[in-house]
Amino acid sequence: MPDAKPLHDGLFSWPDAPSTLMGSRCLDCGEHAFPSQKSCRACSGQNMTAADLGNEGVLWTWTIQSFMPKTPYHTDETPETFKPYGVGYIELACGLKVESRLRENQAEQLKIGMPMKLEIITVRKDDEGSDLLTFQFCASEEQG
Amino acid sequence: MDVAIVGLGMHPFGRTPSMTGLEQGAAAARAALADAGVDFKRMEFAYGGSQDGGNADSLVNLLGLTGLQFTNVANGCATGGSSLHGAYSAIKSGQYDIGLVVGFDKHERGAFNAKPADWGLDDWYGETGLMLTTQYFGMKIQRYMHDHGISRETLIRVAEKAFRNGSLTPTAWRQAALSWEEIENAPMVSEPLNKFMFCSPAEGGCALIVCRADIAHQFHPRPIYLKTAVVRSRNYGSFEVFSPSQPPEVAHSPTVTASQAAFELAGVGPEDIDVAQLQDTEVGAEIMHMAENGFCEHGDQENWLAEGVTEITGRLPVNTDGGCLANGEPVGASGLRQVHEICVQLRGEGGARQVAGDPQVGYTHVYGAPGISGVNILAR
């Protein structure tokens, strides 16, 4: 995807492959945050550093978005082309749970505790025709 | 100084195309004033809130420009609880004798479309489709069902009870009871919650007249005493709406901290409560809030609902007027409707939905984004 860029900078590494989630860690109390924070929600400290949060985790909870959201939702979809998408929290190795769109969009495909991996997807095209990218998680391949 | 509620007023929840939200608030305020037999001129202060219906203090244009202290409150779904807390403190401090608490709203149809910047979030969160309260509610009960063995049948039972109670409540929006099959087969909104398991944004107004306990009988023969009013926000680790990430340890919700503080301040326990209102934005919320407010252990809800413990005829009737599910949720008014209903029950004016056995102590719990809970304990 040469003509592509993140919808929002700083959420995931790009164009490095494989991409990983980018967050922050508090040097005072050790708590992680995503997206990265300038101050710590746990201890109120301001001694933060960047942290690579990896690209794997397990599904902590999930739902399915079955109708097309109103604004501020902004994709190239129409009510006719809208496809339901999964939403879940992925528990990462550091313990932090990150909210994410899920590739899976049917109840039978999703189970709490299943291994998940990061992937980068296109949200929409910008005015110049470039793909705007975000992250989502999907079932790890060993799960089939 | 103890605090009493001596006037109750409501403009029915639902849809009133002929009236603005503000007019519905004024109608509720006038009804509450009439119930207490007092003029608006006598009000020394007011606390009011509305999310989409305009500034609450604009009500003076409809009720009279008397120069009273009027404070606008904006605390999401917990606006009503926060407004009543303001009035409670105003009387409790000895500064004022009598005042008005009022909430109203008029929302568009469909789910709320919150703006990320209002919540300290960047635009990507909303643009990629994560900024929906319905998703959060689905995900919280999904995990709760996994952890505590709650079945889909229990979700259906809560909806069934709500619409049955709504059918007994003349001011409720949803006046028709729904069958098990109608609820079970409704279109899915956000797994595991379907259309009849969510409340809808609505319209309506609700108002209370609050005064010093020692003058309460001047206004109403059966004052209801507000034993305590507590509002708490979220702690680090509490699982809340609009959270791009959650810390490793799940902490107590603000409902737990508000409830514990309220019971301690009022000097009563969950076993003393005769009738309760628990925030039921959706059926999972009512289930989780039963335990978060200390009425049962996590997982007990499965048996409680099957045995009818929270029915009007049960040991702890919950949401006797059908709650948010049957009344809809005009955000500014919703928390006050809960208090209104408990006062109706404690006065013995519940009609077809009256709890038997002369209830003495009632409880209300409101919860709002992004993690605010308000608890009130009321007694005759």
Side-chain angles (χ1 to χ4, degrees):
Chain A
M1 281 189 273
D3 210 20
K5 60 186 177 187
L7 171 65
H8 188 90
D9 286 331
L11 298 176
F12 50 89
S13 57
W14 176 266
D16 312 359
S19 289
T20 57
L21 286 178
M22 292 158 62
S24 56
R25 186 170 59 85
C26 176
L27 292 170
D28 295 333
C29 76
E31 285 286 308
H32 287 86
F34 176 84
S36 65
Q37 302 271 317
K38 293 192 177 78
S39 58
C40 179
R41 297 174 298 173
C43 75
S44 305
Q46 293 183 295
N47 202 9
M48 308 292 282
T49 188
D52 183 333
L53 301 177
N55 52 19
E56 291 178 329
V58 298
L59 189 62
W60 187 72
T61 187
W62 60 273
T63 187
I64 292 165
Q65 179 61 35
S66 59
F67 60 90
M68 183 162 157
K70 297 193 251 189
T71 55
Y73 189 62
H74 188 186
T75 66
D76 291 330
E77 294 163 301
T78 66
E80 290 71 36
T81 64
F82 173 78
K83 286 195 182 62
Y85 55 91
V87 178
Y89 279 87
I90 313 299
E91 189 166 8
L92 306 174
C94 67
L96 191 71
K97 299 179 275 280
V98 169
E99 190 179 15
S100 172
R101 283 179 69 122
L102 308 176
R103 185 203 287 176
E104 289 72 20
N105 64 359
Q106 293 175 46
E108 312 79 75
Q109 299 171 314
L110 294 163
K111 193 170 173 15
I112 288 173
M114 67 191 273
M116 306 291 285
K117 65 174 185 184
L118 188 76
E119 63 178 354
I120 304 302
I121 58 162
T122 298
V123 182
R124 63 171 188 268
K125 290 190 185 298
D126 69 9
D127 293 341
E128 281 80 48
S130 301
D131 285 344
L132 297 177
L133 308 175
T134 194
F135 65 94
Q136 74 173 12
F137 277 81
C138 61
S140 297
E141 277 157 50
E142 54 267 36
Q143 289 296 297
Chain B
M1 180 53 62
D2 286 339
V3 181
I5 296 172
V6 293
L8 309 178
M10 181 173 286
H11 176 79
F13 285 18
R15 295 283 173 202
T16 311
S18 62
M19 292 171 77
T20 65
L22 202 66
E23 287 168 341
Q24 295 179 44
R30 287 191 187 280
L33 291 163
D35 185 46
V38 64
D39 287 337
F40 183 62
K41 292 187 193 75
R42 181 81 187 265
M43 296 299 107
E44 297 167 1
F45 69 88
Y47 283 87
S50 176
Q51 182 170 292
D52 294 335
N55 299 330
D57 64 345
S58 302
L59 280 171
V60 295
N61 291 326
L62 302 176
L63 297 173
L65 298 161
T66 63
L68 83 171
Q69 174 188 327
F70 202 125
T71 305
N72 290 331
V73 177
N75 250 357
C77 302
T79 293
S82 298
S83 298
L84 185 56
H85 178 267
Y88 173 81
S89 300
I91 302 281
K92 195 89 182 162
S93 72
Q95 191 176 5
Y96 291 114
D97 293 341
I98 187 165
L100 169 72
V101 184
V102 58
F104 57 91
D105 245 311
K106 191 175 177 93
H107 304 298
E108 290 178 13
R109 284 163 208 280
F112 292 119
N113 52 337
K115 296 175 189 65
D118 292 344
W119 301 86
L121 297 166
D122 289 314
D123 287 343
W124 69 271
Y125 187 72
E127 291 180 5
T128 60
L130 299 178
M131 190 122 195
L132 284 94
T133 54
T134 41
Q135 295 170 351
Y136 161 75
F137 291 122
M139 287 191 286
K140 188 174 177 195
I141 190 63
Q142 185 90 266
R143 180 74 200 190
Y144 195 88
M145 291 167 82
H146 171 268
D147 286 350
H148 300 292
I150 301 295
S151 66
R152 183 166 158 74
E153 284 69 30
T154 297
L155 305 186
I156 296 171
R157 283 194 178 96
V158 173
E160 207 182 24
K161 171 174 74 68
F163 293 108
R164 187 162 56 240
N165 291 355
S167 75
L168 303 174
T169 306
T171 54
W173 184 17
R174 312 295 189 194
Q175 289 282 320
L178 294 176
S179 70
W180 182 279
E181 291 71 27
E182 283 174 295
I183 297 165
E184 184 175 28
N185 299 321
M188 191 58 73
V189 173
S190 199
E191 285 274 350
L193 302 169
N194 71 27
K195 176 184 166 186
F196 290 132
M197 295 178 180
F198 275 103
C199 83
S200 301
E203 304 173 16
C206 194
L208 307 171
I209 307 299
V210 178
C211 75
R212 290 164 49 147
D214 60 347
I215 60 170
H217 281 91
Q218 295 175 25
F219 303 104
H220 198 278
R222 278 166 297 171
I224 304 301
Y225 299 97
L226 181 54
K227 296 309 222 182
T228 191
V230 173
V231 178
R232 291 287 186 271
S233 67
R234 63 200 190 279
N235 292 299
Y236 181 70
S238 171
F239 182 30
E240 303 295 344
V241 70
F242 301 152
S243 299
S245 67
Q246 286 290 335
E249 297 294 326
V250 179
H252 281 321
S253 76
T255 295
V256 174
T257 50
S259 175
Q260 288 174 349
F263 280 125
E264 191 177 325
L265 286 167
V268 299
E271 65 284 359
D272 299 313
I273 302 300
D274 298 318
V275 56
Q277 283 272 333
L278 304 179
Q279 179 80 18
D280 59 333
T281 319
E282 37 76 36
V283 295
E286 179 173 317
I287 291 165
M288 293 182 284
H289 290 151
M290 288 166 64
E292 290 186 2
N293 284 286
F295 293 109
C296 67
E297 297 297 323
H298 294 295
D300 285 354
Q301 300 97 325
E302 188 73 8
N303 286 334
W304 277 44
L305 266 297
E307 292 163 6
V309 173
T310 55
E311 297 284 344
I312 289 171
T313 52
R315 180 160 47 82
L316 178 69
V318 172
N319 297 338
T320 46
D321 61 351
C324 294
L325 289 164
N327 287 277
E329 193 180 20
V331 163
S334 194
L336 299 179
R337 173 192 53 73
Q338 299 179 319
V339 176
H340 184 287
E341 173 63 9
I342 292 297
C343 290
V344 165
Q345 291 287 345
L346 297 182
R347 284 178 175 186
E349 296 173 349
R353 68 182 192 284
Q354 177 64 43
V355 171
D358 211 15
Q360 302 287 317
V361 186
Y363 183 98
T364 73
H365 159 258
V366 69
Y367 168 85
I372 306 168
S373 279
V375 168
N376 300 296
I377 295 177
L378 301 117
R380 285 175 44 182

